[in-house]
Amino acid sequence: METAALVAPVTALEFIQDAFLLTGEGPVLTVYSLQPRPRACASLSVLQHYRIHGIRPKGLVAVPAQSSVTGTFEEKKNELSSTSDPTFYDLAVCGGKAVRLVRLHVDLQDGEHLRLEILGPLMELQDWALDVRWLSGDKHSLLCVAVAHNSVLLLDVITGNALVQRSCLEGCLLYSALLLVHESWADTVLVGGTVFNQLVLWNPGGDKSSNSEHKAPVERRLLGHSGVIFSISYLQEKGWLASASDDRSVRLWGVGALGGPGGKCGDLNPACLRVLYGHQARVFSVRLSPGKVFSAGEDGACLVWDWAGGGKVVHTLKGHRAGGVRALAVSEGTGEEERWVATGGADGGVRLWRVEGHEESKEEAVTEKLSDLKFPGQGLPKVVCIAGEEDASWSQCNFVVCTDHGIVYQYSAGQWEMVWQGTPEFQSYCVMETMSVSVKDSTAKVSLCAVGNLSGSIQVFPISHPQCGIHLTGGSGKIHSLIWQEVKESLYLLASGAEGLVYRWCVDVKLDENYSWVLSVNPLPPFLLPPCAKRWLTAAVHLHSMSLWVCGDRRGSLLLYQEGQNLEKKTGQDEGLLRGRNQTDDEGVEGEENGSKMMQKRESKEMGDLTLHPLSCLFGVHGKQGVSSVCEYQGLLYSAGRDGCVRVFRVRPTPLEKLEKKSNRESVENKGGLQLEVLRVQRACKGMEWLERVLILEPEIPAEEEKECENHHDLTEKSEVTDEGKEEKIDDKGREARFVIIGFHAIHFVVWDPVRQERLLAVPCGGGHRSWSLWPSHKGVWLGYGAVVFIKQGAVLASQPPGEALSCAGKAGRTRGWGLREGVHGRGIGCVSRLGRIRGIGNETQTSTGNVEGRDGLKDEVKEVEREGHWEILVTGGEDTSLTILAVHPNSGSIKVLSVITDHISSVRTVTAVTHPDGESENQTLSALLVSAGGRAQMQCYRLLISWDRQRLRPSCQVIQVASHRLDEQWERRRNRHKTVKMDPETRYMSVVVVDERTDCILLALACSDGAVRLFSVSEVERKIDLLWETFHHQRCVLSVAACRLEDGRGNRYKLLFSAATDGKIAVWDLTEASSLSAGTSSNAPTLPIPCLDIPAHQSGTNSLAVWAEKLGQQEGGCLVTVASGGDDGQLTVSTIRVQYPEDGNINNGGSRGFSHISEPLISSWTEFQPSNQLHLHLQSQSHIPLAHAAPLTALKVLSPRLLVSTSSDQRVCLWRVSNTSISHIGALCSHVADAAGLAVWEGQMMEEEEGNKNRKTRFESEQEIAFWRVKEGRQTGLKTLCETAEGETGGRSNKDKETADETEVREPVEALRETGDPVCETAGECRNQAETDSVGKTESEVNNETDVKASCNSGEKRGKTGWVLVCGQGFQLLRVRATEMDAEMWTTKRGGEKKNHKVKVTLQETST
């Protein structure tokens, strides 16, 4: 087995000058080049099964280039570009109990070429390594290593021996350590953060004696923290020490000079200079720079403190998902210049910022200080807008205010001036809207203002020349709202008047000969809104390519209009207007429908040909509080409403059956047959109900890809499609973008990121019901910063002083930063499901050489492989309540996050999917019905459409929300509910399995924590989930369910359900008849199924089940169903059930196929009372492995027939072979994923183009240390079992060995060197077939080894067959199982072919230094 992809918490970061960034993720070391743009360049697995916690480059001071045993070093920034000779840096990498040397090769002629090389063996220590430093003055390679029990080692990396080990008199446990080294061992000083919340300073080399038994005293002790110390940083030029603690604080100490010649220990009485409180959780990392303190913690924020300005937070850097920031690095710099800041998250993401050192102290994210603009005008301000050019800075913005006296004022350059004063009819009530437009045939821009009143009058004028305005009339009643809409070179004004009419004009602005503004208008046919109580327009957007308008009204409806449609009278239009009403759950809709038909007919007759009626109406989808905004982006539409929801929808042709049904009822003319379809609903945070707008969050893409995307956007904008091509064009463009939500949360104006679940901006404005305007937002895109102007209690306030220039320079570096690597889940991943794979097709007309978000070696050839190869599509659910759709490229290790779903209100415990690939498009599309379930008894169902994006050359995903269900909501809808006990609100769904797939619905069985097994039906057509029945047979928490489908010789199909609970028993249910229940059947039906078999399997809870069936011969009849189970007791149990079909006649209770016989009491009475027309089941055999894992077994899966994969929180992935008489333990692999909870396994076929790329190098290319298991005789194992997993989640790795029943051996590890760096437990040498290898990189020795054993590897397996195992927990790891590894016969060959151990134990060598 070998690693194909890895996502794990980033635990180490280190800069080399401003040129390179080194990251540690699990055992993998990755180097990023920062110039001329950030990009990943090389990766290497270096620490076997240890996590990297420290990376230390040698020679942090500038030295002349020299050639030595340890390499060549160039540390001056200008020298990197002044020489063409190759250079390299030696790195000391530590983590766990291991230290290793790695060399970074840099080819200065080709900045793209970076290479990592391992120097020497892995050096294993006796204690945990906390810090490692190079001695700068030695002629040999000497390292100082601080270990966890307050000791320091002097390590000779050439021999692997510890020359000196010195301990402190205070031998307590350290949580953190900082080594300050100079030229010799005698100059070393250690600062340790103890478990007793103290900082201790002592000198390991102070005593010249070489006696290691002599312990050094504590020189200084710093007290003050109330929690353990996680991180320490020292700034030599100031003599300041910083410590980050579990008590959520950062402390700054004045300690004086530490280290240096003689090993100084600083001032005798060090003082605490400042205590910094600002984090909401534990602080994990701290770094010091001149004038600034950088700290990062569990709250996911990196705070930048100005210690000279009173210790205030000047920047808050956020961007990681839940789980916090685990690593922090700040680049070296001089004085007040800009610095790189890098953060690594628990989500596996790496982000990069550029922070200015000279900037004044000011907080930029959440502001509590507001600026009063001192409005002096007559009356009270009612409406405020921002006027000016789109690209204008905050200091250049002009504010336009309209008062209740009908007077318009402008704020410019710190002064208020009156712009326009309306007639008396504009007093007491007016609405205003502004728009900045470009003038035709000119480079000038003008800001237009429109003001409406109670009598239908509208004044439109340029703000700079109000005397050039024109007067419009929008009916005789109140103007409810005004909306400007600019599309291409046209400018539209919409005015919502009385009686549901929306008047429209096309406005044209020109300059005449006298250089004065001339406005001309062209009236357009008005829109007619559907009849309702609150009948006015609140939002509108124009789809230019299709001549469509999508509008939202105050009643919460979404409407679709088409320009140029036939305007004949539509006496039956009321049906078309109201056809979307059945899609809302709002109460009172039915009441509003009464009487609307007569009103609609009357208005149609009155208006005649003058109005446009909606083609489609989704009535009240946003509730009764109305739609606040509608926008369009890349073919999809986004609406926000005051129901707390954002809806993603699209325009699509009406299905043919609906058109036929409608034409039979009435003749409603809709030439295009278009309708609005809601794809998905996104809720904001709890308590944020008043939503105002949606702003698109621009994707984080490499600079070299930006031009491609811009070209693609231009092409899609300019292309024109015919009516017949509308659906295709929308689908080609339709790809949901990431967005932020603007709204009001309590008293704050908030910009909310629904994916990261965090505030990006918060301004205390007092809440909703006020006029506001946001800068910059003209383009509908959130740039990561902004300012708000609003009205509060008769005053005009701004979140930032208007005179100040809100800095845009380096906005990416200080707000969202650059995403070098995208995070997945910040907390544990509890479940995973594989949907399938799609094939990428390259585009010869577009090239891309870099990849910021990539996760592997990023050469052109690797990029080409990503375009051409297959992508595995996975869905993961985690404790952060989100679902993530991922695309993994196994051959390069690249991982792309396609979509994130945050609809769950509690953790996601289980997922399953029903997938139907599209065989007509060469695997370029994939459709799956996804069901997820978890806490609070919540279940969600989605339709996922995966396709290949030909412009971005990567997979894309569209999420369509099908239905949702919660048990407490189900209870509320029941009749006579007062007679029943309400469902426990803390019920959790633990496991889900698909029982049956029908044409109209699918049946799901769910294991519930309240002791119930529930059967649901999911109908995609009706978009609902129904509870069919529930049973409380187990009377305790049900942990797992699995299903099995059987078919007899006559074609009759049967369904079995297996459920397991915390009592260790497995219940078997015959659902052949019960699954035929319809949605209308009462859940209290008396004919509930009862289990037909109860199997005792474990002493405690059964966490996972795996089921498969084998047909028996015609003479024996029936079949054998095998159930593998793993439990909290660490035991693996395999039970074999004999199933007799009803027509098979007598039941044969005899054993078969060599399985051991079970005593009669286990199968006593279950078959005696079964009717003759049902299945007959009895337990035939059972076997156990008491200690299959050293911890509770969490997941089981079947990789191939008779081949099982299991995983546990002991971080082992085990492979088991099931034979006719026994179950053999093939091998175990130590995974890099902690708290393993889910597995996904599948078999794949190696493609020819992948086979040809044998020498391609990936991020896991390097050496791989494998711990083989040597067979020893004379000890019993009891490895007679069988296992598999049949839940929705999966993950793990497999290596295989064949063991026969008479092999009673125990294996002990022997190390061997291999290519990828993953510790694997095997029983025989590796045997590979060169023909089935793919593009994962190989060393030369491995290729030779494959050639040597090629003849012995002809196992009869299908050419190119391979297996994949994905284990998830705190991250995930994708493992490849070779075809030769999947053949058990190969484990018995070349048993003596293990390679030499490439690991050394560090021992103390008593030598004076």
Side-chain angles (χ1 to χ4, degrees):
M1 286 189 297
E2 56 196 11
T3 297
L6 174 66
V7 173
V10 178
T11 51
L13 293 170
E14 186 69 32
F15 283 100
I16 300 181
Q17 307 166 10
D18 278 351
F20 308 110
L21 173 66
L22 301 166
T23 69
E25 180 186 23
V28 178
L29 179 67
T30 303
V31 58
Y32 293 85
S33 175
L34 304 181
Q35 303 297 337
R37 60 187 181 277
R39 67 191 186 282
C41 293
S43 292
L44 191 65
S45 182
V46 298
L47 283 193
Q48 293 188 9
H49 55 276
Y50 295 111
R51 283 186 177 180
I52 297 175
H53 282 278
I55 307 168
R56 301 289 180 262
K58 185 176 181 181
L60 294 181
V61 296
V63 294
Q66 58 183 2
S67 226
S68 68
V69 178
T70 57
T72 302
F73 311 101
E74 293 289 346
E75 293 297 334
K76 294 181 181 179
K77 186 182 299 185
N78 56 359
E79 289 178 356
L80 279 175
S81 57
S82 63
T83 177
S84 61
D85 296 332
T87 188
F88 50 87
Y89 303 88
D90 279 359
L91 313 171
V93 181
C94 68
K97 295 183 178 181
V99 177
R100 189 160 228 172
L101 300 188
V102 180
R103 178 168 293 170
L104 170 62
H105 293 267
V106 180
D107 187 350
L108 298 179
Q109 291 181 336
D110 181 9
E112 300 272 336
H113 184 67
L114 297 177
R115 184 170 58 89
L116 292 168
E117 177 190 4
I118 287 181
L119 303 178
L122 183 77
M123 293 172 282
E124 285 199 329
L125 310 176
Q126 303 298 316
D127 202 352
W128 301 95
L130 299 181
D131 193 16
V132 58
R133 301 284 172 173
W134 298 85
L135 287 185
S136 59
D138 67 289
K139 297 181 180 180
H140 306 286
S141 296
L142 297 181
L143 287 176
C144 285
V145 183
V147 293
H149 285 82
N150 212 2
S151 299
V152 181
L153 301 174
L154 182 60
L155 196 63
D156 187 342
V157 297
I158 302 298
T159 63
N161 294 327
L163 304 181
V164 180
Q165 178 174 357
R166 187 60 45 83
S167 299
C168 182
L169 279 173
E170 189 162 323
C172 59
L173 191 66
L174 301 183
Y175 267 56
S176 58
L178 175 65
L179 277 170
L180 301 171
V181 299
H182 192 50
E183 294 184 353
S184 66
W185 167 255
D187 303 330
T188 304
V189 172
L190 174 68
V191 183
T194 73
V195 72
F196 300 114
N197 314 332
Q198 302 175 0
L199 288 167
V200 294
L201 285 77
W202 58 284
N203 190 343
D207 189 351
K208 303 300 182 182
S209 172
S210 62
N211 183 10
S212 297
E213 298 298 328
H214 179 73
K215 296 185 177 181
V218 174
E219 302 292 342
R220 306 286 187 270
R221 190 185 304 271
L222 306 180
L223 307 177
H225 280 293
S226 58
V228 297
I229 290 92
F230 288 125
S231 179
I232 307 168
S233 179
Y234 177 67
L235 185 64
Q236 184 176 3
E237 61 185 75
K238 296 280 189 179
W240 288 353
L241 188 76
S243 56
S245 172
D246 182 64
D247 62 8
R248 304 186 180 188
S249 74
V250 175
R251 287 181 178 256
L252 197 62
W253 313 82
V255 295
L258 298 181
K264 304 181 186 68
C265 290
D267 300 338
L268 290 176
N269 298 307
C272 180
L273 304 179
R274 199 175 296 279
V275 181
L276 306 177
Y277 280 101
H279 284 278
Q280 305 299 314
R282 297 180 293 177
V283 188
F284 288 145
S285 301
V286 64
R287 295 291 182 270
L288 289 176
S289 70
K292 296 288 189 297
V293 181
F294 299 84
S295 61
E298 199 174 21
D299 58 357
C302 175
L303 302 184
V304 184
W305 311 77
D306 182 8
W307 65 22
K312 295 180 180 179
V313 176
V314 293
H315 300 309
T316 300
L317 308 179
K318 288 188 175 182
H320 294 279
R321 295 173 67 173
V325 179
R326 297 294 180 87
L328 172 66
V330 181
S331 67
E332 295 291 335
T334 58
E336 300 296 330
E337 66 182 20
E338 283 189 341
R339 299 173 185 271
W340 287 109
V341 178
T343 56
D347 58 356
V350 178
R351 303 194 72 81
L352 192 66
W353 284 269
R354 194 69 171 167
V355 176
E356 299 175 3
H358 62 275
E359 196 165 0
E360 296 180 3
S361 172
K362 62 180 180 180
E363 173 60 38
E364 62 177 29
V366 179
T367 175
E368 296 290 341
K369 295 182 179 180
L370 303 175
S371 298
D372 191 347
L373 303 187
K374 307 294 183 182
F375 178 72
Q378 301 178 16
L380 295 176
K382 291 296 183 182
V383 186
V384 61
C385 298
I386 295 179
E389 299 181 4
E390 293 181 0
D391 300 330
S393 65
W394 172 247
S395 60
Q396 297 172 343
C397 282
N398 298 331
F399 308 134
V400 181
V401 171
C402 185
T403 69
D404 57 358
H405 287 184
I407 304 176
V408 176
Y409 293 87
Q410 181 180 14
Y411 181 87
S412 177
Q415 300 293 327
W416 288 98
E417 62 176 351
M418 182 186 298
V419 175
W420 176 83
Q421 183 172 3
T423 59
E425 61 183 0
F426 281 90
Q427 296 183 6
S428 74
Y429 173 85
C430 62
V431 292
M432 181 185 72
E433 195 64 42
T434 62
M435 185 70 179
S436 178
V437 296
S438 300
V439 181
K440 289 185 179 180
D441 303 326
S442 173
T443 59
K445 288 191 176 183
V446 61
S447 294
L448 297 180
C449 180
V451 183
N453 64 14
L454 278 172
S455 59
S457 297
I458 303 170
Q459 187 74 17
V460 181
F461 56 89
I463 296 177
S464 59
H465 297 81
Q467 67 276 8
C468 299
I470 58 174
H471 184 271
L472 303 175
T473 301
S476 59
K478 176 181 179 181
I479 300 298
H480 293 278
S481 64
L482 293 169
I483 298 174
W484 289 102
Q485 185 71 208
E486 184 179 16
V487 182
K488 296 297 180 182
E489 298 180 356
S490 300
L491 179 65
Y492 299 94
L493 175 64
L494 282 69
S496 183
E499 304 297 330
L501 286 173
V502 180
Y503 299 91
R504 302 185 301 141
W505 298 271
C506 182
V507 182
D508 190 16
V509 185
K510 294 182 179 179
L511 279 172
D512 61 9
E513 298 82 4
N514 300 324
Y515 293 98
S516 60
W517 301 109
V518 176
L519 301 184
S520 60
V521 295
N522 178 29
L524 300 174
F527 295 151
L528 182 63
L529 300 178
C532 59
K534 302 173 182 178
R535 200 177 180 191
W536 65 85
L537 194 70
T538 57
V541 64
H542 186 229
L543 307 181
H544 175 72
S545 61
M546 303 176 65
S547 298
L548 295 175
W549 285 85
V550 179
C551 304
D553 67 6
R554 180 59 176 80
R555 181 52 185 84
S557 303
L558 294 173
L559 310 165
L560 178 64
Y561 295 90
Q562 186 170 25
E563 292 275 17
Q565 70 182 37
N566 195 340
L567 303 177
E568 296 177 357
K569 292 189 288 186
K570 301 174 176 60
T571 57
Q573 183 66 27
D574 50 293
E575 287 291 338
L577 289 171
L578 304 176
R579 68 184 181 187
R581 295 193 177 192
N582 58 353
Q583 299 190 26
T584 178
D585 292 333
D586 293 322
E587 298 179 1
V589 172
E590 296 177 358
E592 292 188 20
E593 289 180 0
N594 296 333
S596 63
K597 294 184 180 181
M598 295 301 298
M599 180 187 294
Q600 182 68 28
K601 291 179 181 180
R602 175 173 54 84
E603 291 177 350
S604 297
K605 292 177 181 179
E606 292 176 357
M607 299 305 301
D609 299 344
L610 302 180
T611 61
L612 297 179
H613 297 266
L615 302 179
S616 175
C617 173
L618 302 180
F619 190 87
V621 291
H622 274 286
K624 295 184 178 181
Q625 299 302 317
V627 180
S628 54
S629 70
V630 179
C631 67
E632 183 269 343
Y633 186 76
Q634 292 185 352
L636 291 182
L637 295 148
Y638 303 81
S639 64
R642 296 179 184 176
D643 59 345
C645 295
V646 171
R647 282 172 169 79
V648 184
F649 60 104
R650 66 181 176 183
V651 180
R652 62 166 297 179
T654 305
L656 184 60
E657 57 271 15
K658 287 190 178 181
L659 284 176
E660 293 176 352
K661 190 183 219 179
K662 193 189 332 176
S663 62
N664 292 334
R665 292 199 312 262
E666 351 195 1
S667 61
V668 177
E669 184 165 351
N670 183 348
K671 285 186 177 179
L674 301 176
Q675 69 175 18
L676 297 177
E677 179 189 33
V678 176
L679 302 180
R680 170 169 110 76
V681 180
Q682 172 69 62
R683 292 199 66 89
C685 62
K686 184 178 181 181
M688 189 173 172
E689 300 293 332
W690 190 308
L691 306 186
E692 290 285 358
R693 291 187 63 184
V694 170
L695 294 182
I696 301 301
L697 202 58
E698 289 186 325
E700 298 171 359
I701 55 179
E704 64 271 13
E705 293 182 8
E706 289 180 0
K707 188 173 181 180
E708 293 181 14
C709 295
E710 290 175 0
N711 293 338
H712 164 50
H713 183 68
D714 293 339
L715 289 174
T716 56
E717 288 290 341
K718 294 180 181 178
S719 61
E720 296 183 1
V721 293
T722 61
D723 290 344
E724 292 77 8
K726 288 173 185 173
E727 168 71 4
E728 288 73 13
K729 188 60 185 176
I730 293 174
D731 287 344
D732 288 343
K733 289 176 59 180
R735 179 178 62 248
E736 184 176 334
R738 273 200 61 194
F739 56 84
V740 298
I741 303 172
I742 296 177
F744 294 96
H745 190 197
I747 66 169
H748 286 86
F749 176 91
V750 173
V751 178
W752 176 259
D753 187 342
V755 172
R756 304 195 189 279
Q757 296 285 300
E758 67 181 12
R759 290 182 177 184
L760 304 181
L761 179 70
V763 178
C765 66
H769 288 294
R770 69 188 66 253
S771 177
W772 61 273
S773 191
L774 175 68
W775 173 91
S777 63
H778 297 87
K779 297 179 180 179
V781 175
W782 174 251
L783 300 178
Y785 58 95
V788 185
V789 59
F790 58 93
I791 295 175
K792 181 179 181 181
Q793 297 178 347
V796 181
L797 305 177
S799 61
Q800 297 284 346
E804 295 184 3
L806 195 62
S807 176
C808 303
K811 54 181 177 284
R814 285 193 8 246
T815 51
R816 294 178 59 212
W818 289 273
L820 297 184
R821 184 182 304 163
E822 192 168 7
V824 180
H825 286 275
R827 295 174 186 163
I829 303 175
C831 52
V832 61
S833 179
R834 174 182 178 263
L835 304 182
R837 70 177 183 176
I838 66 171
R839 180 183 178 87
I841 301 298
N843 191 337
E844 296 180 357
T845 63
Q846 297 184 6
T847 60
S848 175
T849 59
N851 182 11
V852 170
E853 293 177 287
R855 309 182 63 86
D856 37 79
L858 304 169
K859 299 180 182 179
D860 290 344
E861 58 184 25
V862 176
K863 193 69 180 177
E864 190 64 28
V865 170
E866 292 181 10
R867 294 173 178 176
E868 299 291 344
H870 282 81
W871 291 78
E872 297 290 344
I873 308 301
L874 307 168
V875 177
T876 58
E879 296 175 4
D880 58 359
T881 74
S882 68
L883 287 166
T884 303
I885 295 96
L886 300 167
V888 180
H889 196 278
N891 299 318
S892 66
S894 180
I895 297 172
K896 307 290 185 184
V897 176
L898 305 185
S899 183
V900 178
I901 305 172
T902 58
D903 293 335
H904 279 271
I905 59 177
S906 187
S907 63
V908 183
R909 302 295 298 262
T910 179
V911 293
T912 190
V914 178
T915 305
H916 298 290
D918 188 354
E920 297 180 359
S921 59
E922 298 182 358
N923 294 329
Q924 294 181 44
T925 61
L926 181 68
S927 177
L929 189 67
L930 175 72
V931 178
S932 61
R936 302 295 294 274
Q938 183 183 12
M939 181 166 37
Q940 298 286 141
C941 181
Y942 306 92
R943 169 63 64 181
L944 304 181
L945 303 176
I946 315 293
S947 60
W948 181 253
D949 189 333
R950 294 178 179 269
Q951 279 72 34
R952 299 174 68 190
L953 299 178
R954 57 176 286 178
S956 65
C957 174
Q958 177 58 56
V959 180
I960 301 176
Q961 198 165 22
V962 175
S964 62
H965 185 277
R966 287 181 60 188
L967 277 183
D968 52 356
E969 295 176 355
Q970 179 82 6
W971 184 88
E972 292 290 346
R973 296 191 183 101
R974 287 185 179 179
R975 295 182 178 180
N976 300 323
R977 59 179 178 271
H978 62 281
K979 297 181 181 180
T980 61
V981 179
K982 187 175 181 179
M983 186 274 311
D984 179 10
E986 296 303 321
T987 297
R988 301 176 303 280
Y989 290 139
M990 309 299 292
S991 178
V992 63
V993 68
V994 177
V995 176
D996 193 15
E997 299 179 34
R998 302 178 181 176
T999 56
D1000 57 340
C1001 68
I1002 63 172
L1003 298 182
L1004 302 173
L1006 279 91
C1008 309
S1009 64
D1010 60 355
V1013 176
R1014 292 181 169 92
L1015 188 69
F1016 291 88
S1017 69
V1018 179
S1019 174
E1020 188 174 6
V1021 176
E1022 299 181 2
R1023 293 201 167 193
K1024 66 177 182 178
I1025 301 175
D1026 292 305
L1027 175 64
L1028 300 183
W1029 58 263
E1030 59 186 3
T1031 176
F1032 291 85
H1033 166 76
H1034 287 281
Q1035 296 295 315
R1036 50 184 52 82
C1037 177
V1038 186
L1039 297 175
S1040 181
V1041 290
C1044 183
R1045 304 175 194 177
L1046 307 176
E1047 184 175 353
D1048 62 12
R1050 302 180 181 180
N1052 299 319
R1053 297 182 179 180
Y1054 305 90
K1055 304 174 189 65
L1056 294 179
L1057 176 67
F1058 300 81
S1059 61
T1062 54
D1063 59 355
K1065 294 182 179 179
I1066 302 173
V1068 187
W1069 311 75
D1070 184 0
L1071 297 187
T1072 304
E1073 297 180 0
S1075 62
S1076 63
L1077 291 172
S1078 64
T1081 305
S1082 171
S1083 59
N1084 298 321
T1087 58
L1088 290 178
I1090 59 173
C1092 50
L1093 192 60
D1094 228 346
I1095 305 172
H1098 296 273
Q1099 300 177 5
S1100 54
T1102 305
N1103 295 322
S1104 184
L1105 294 174
V1107 182
W1108 71 95
E1110 296 176 294
K1111 291 184 178 180
L1112 297 177
Q1114 295 182 356
Q1115 297 180 353
E1116 295 176 317
C1119 67
L1120 291 179
V1121 177
T1122 306
V1123 184
S1125 59
D1128 284 337
D1129 53 4
Q1131 177 173 286
L1132 184 62
T1133 301
V1134 176
S1135 307
T1136 304
I1137 302 171
R1138 174 68 179 270
V1139 179
Q1140 199 79 24
Y1141 299 122
E1143 57 269 28
D1144 286 344
N1146 297 328
I1147 302 172
N1148 180 13
N1149 290 329
S1152 66
R1153 299 206 171 197
F1155 283 90
S1156 59
H1157 189 65
I1158 299 296
S1159 58
E1160 279 302 318
L1162 288 175
I1163 56 172
S1164 55
S1165 59
W1166 287 105
T1167 59
E1168 295 179 7
F1169 304 102
Q1170 293 177 343
S1172 58
N1173 61 346
Q1174 293 185 0
L1175 293 176
H1176 297 272
L1177 290 80
H1178 71 273
L1179 184 63
Q1180 180 164 292
S1181 65
Q1182 194 174 59
S1183 54
H1184 310 272
I1185 297 183
L1187 293 177
H1189 283 271
L1193 198 152
T1194 54
L1196 289 171
K1197 290 292 176 181
V1198 179
L1199 179 58
S1200 64
R1202 298 179 175 271
L1203 189 61
L1204 306 177
V1205 181
S1206 67
T1207 189
S1208 167
S1209 54
D1210 63 0
Q1211 288 192 235
R1212 288 198 307 154
V1213 179
C1214 295
L1215 199 64
W1216 311 87
R1217 170 70 64 180
V1218 180
S1219 64
N1220 291 338
T1221 58
S1222 67
I1223 300 161
S1224 304
H1225 181 222
I1226 295 178
L1229 179 140
C1230 296
S1231 171
H1232 307 317
V1233 177
D1235 301 327
L1239 279 173
V1241 299
W1242 65 93
E1243 286 187 301
Q1245 188 70 27
M1246 205 78 72
M1247 295 294 106
E1248 293 182 1
E1249 70 270 11
E1250 297 170 3
E1251 294 176 9
N1253 297 311
K1254 299 183 181 66
N1255 296 322
R1256 182 175 293 116
K1257 298 181 180 180
T1258 70
R1259 62 188 302 236
F1260 304 103
E1261 129 210 345
S1262 71
E1263 50 131 10
Q1264 180 178 19
E1265 281 85 13
I1266 304 165
F1268 285 90
W1269 294 85
R1270 183 177 291 167
V1271 178
K1272 285 202 167 185
E1273 299 184 3
R1275 300 166 82 178
Q1276 296 287 336
T1277 64
L1279 297 178
K1280 287 185 178 181
T1281 125
L1282 170 90
C1283 71
E1284 154 155 346
T1285 204
E1287 300 166 339
E1289 31 306 6
T1290 54
R1293 298 188 175 183
S1294 43
N1295 279 29
K1296 303 175 184 179
D1297 242 9
K1298 176 156 188 194
E1299 281 189 2
T1300 57
D1302 54 353
E1303 283 180 328
T1304 55
E1305 300 100 1
V1306 168
R1307 304 158 183 146
E1308 294 183 359
V1310 175
E1311 279 77 28
L1313 181 65
R1314 188 174 164 187
E1315 156 197 38
T1316 66
D1318 300 309
V1320 184
C1321 304
E1322 300 179 348
T1323 56
E1326 182 181 21
C1327 176
R1328 294 182 178 165
N1329 186 342
Q1330 188 173 1
E1332 50 85 22
T1333 58
D1334 64 4
S1335 61
V1336 172
K1338 295 185 178 2
T1339 59
E1340 183 179 357
S1341 60
E1342 183 186 9
V1343 175
N1344 295 336
N1345 181 52
E1346 290 178 351
T1347 306
D1348 295 339
V1349 301
K1350 181 178 180 181
S1352 63
C1353 286
N1354 296 324
S1355 60
E1357 295 277 352
K1358 187 176 179 180
R1359 180 178 181 269
K1361 186 177 181 181
T1362 186
W1364 301 94
V1365 180
L1366 187 140
V1367 58
C1368 64
Q1370 299 295 330
F1372 69 82
Q1373 189 174 5
L1374 178 63
L1375 310 169
R1376 176 187 290 105
V1377 184
R1378 300 285 185 178
T1380 51
E1381 294 173 322
M1382 296 175 66
D1383 186 359
E1385 298 296 332
M1386 292 301 101
W1387 297 95
T1388 60
T1389 64
K1390 296 185 72 69
R1391 187 170 293 272
E1394 296 94 344
K1395 298 178 184 179
K1396 268 191 176 181
N1397 181 10
H1398 202 60
K1399 186 189 303 183
V1400 297
K1401 297 286 185 181
V1402 175
T1403 58
L1404 180 62
Q1405 175 180 331
E1406 296 295 340
T1407 305
S1408 60
T1409 58

